[in-house]
Amino acid sequence: MLSAIEIEKITHELQQVPVKKAACIEALKIVQQERRWVSDESVADIAAMLEMSTAEVDSVATFYNLIFRQPVGRHVILLCDSISCYVMGYTVLRQRLHEILLIGYGQTTADERFTLLPNACLGTCDHAPALMIDDDLYRDIQPAELEQILEKYH
């Protein structure tokens, strides 16, 4: 069930668009901000509120790789695996993250602190390799910097 806060925020978004369907992405983002992910129940609730089918909302949610349809950690690490990052040291970064966090792609640490996901491009090819943690972009990353970077996120 959507919370009162989620309903209020989605209602605000509905006032900004000409048709309810146009608020779908924002509604999904609102739920994710509150819960860290979007459950099947939330998809159904959003669908009802926007007068859409659950399949329509789910198709939007699964199209966008930054809408999480399963639980994630408190912090999501997006490691860029584009050709630029690959050439500039992606493999070593991925291996070092695995050593530090003891997880692979799509997994969450036992303490639910981090989830590690691949990302096709972070838009900073001239400063590869790159990764993003939540909304923080890190460029020109060296493996030795990873532990210090990760310590910032509790």
Side-chain angles (χ1 to χ4, degrees):
M1 191 160 190
L2 296 177
S3 71
I5 292 171
E6 291 165 335
I7 291 169
E8 179 183 328
K9 289 180 178 181
I10 293 170
T11 300
H12 173 75
E13 289 302 320
L14 288 171
Q15 295 168 358
Q16 311 302 314
V17 294
V19 294
K20 288 184 177 187
K21 286 183 179 187
C24 187
I25 295 170
E26 289 305 315
L28 289 163
K29 288 169 51 180
I30 288 165
V31 169
Q32 183 166 289
Q33 286 170 349
E34 296 295 321
R35 303 173 188 219
R36 296 195 319 231
W37 69 293
V38 182
S39 67
D40 290 343
E41 179 186 358
S42 295
V43 165
D45 292 343
I46 290 168
M49 193 169 179
L50 302 183
E51 300 173 359
M52 297 172 67
S53 71
T54 55
E56 287 175 306
V57 175
D58 186 56
S59 69
V60 173
T62 56
F63 178 79
Y64 292 97
N65 69 332
L66 296 180
I67 298 294
F68 307 126
R69 290 288 282 123
Q70 56 186 330
V72 294
R74 292 186 306 278
H75 306 287
V76 176
I77 301 170
L78 301 174
L79 180 59
C80 184
D81 61 2
S82 71
I83 189 66
S84 296
C85 286
Y86 187 85
V87 168
M88 297 303 292
Y90 154 84
T91 305
V92 177
L93 282 182
R94 186 190 70 213
Q95 179 60 35
R96 186 66 187 127
L97 281 167
H98 173 70
E99 292 167 2
I100 295 168
L101 301 174
L102 303 174
I103 59 172
Y105 281 142
Q107 296 179 327
T108 299
T109 55
D111 61 2
E112 296 186 358
R113 187 171 162 207
F114 294 107
T115 296
L116 178 62
L117 298 172
N119 192 279
C121 184
L122 293 174
T124 186
C125 295
D126 57 331
H127 289 282
L131 64 82
M132 199 167 186
I133 302 176
D134 301 333
D135 294 327
D136 302 327
L137 178 63
Y138 296 92
R139 307 170 348 155
D140 301 309
I141 301 297
Q142 297 301 312
E145 299 173 295
L146 287 173
E147 287 184 76
Q148 183 179 4
I149 290 169
L150 295 173
E151 285 175 11
K152 298 175 188 177
Y153 300 89
H154 301 286

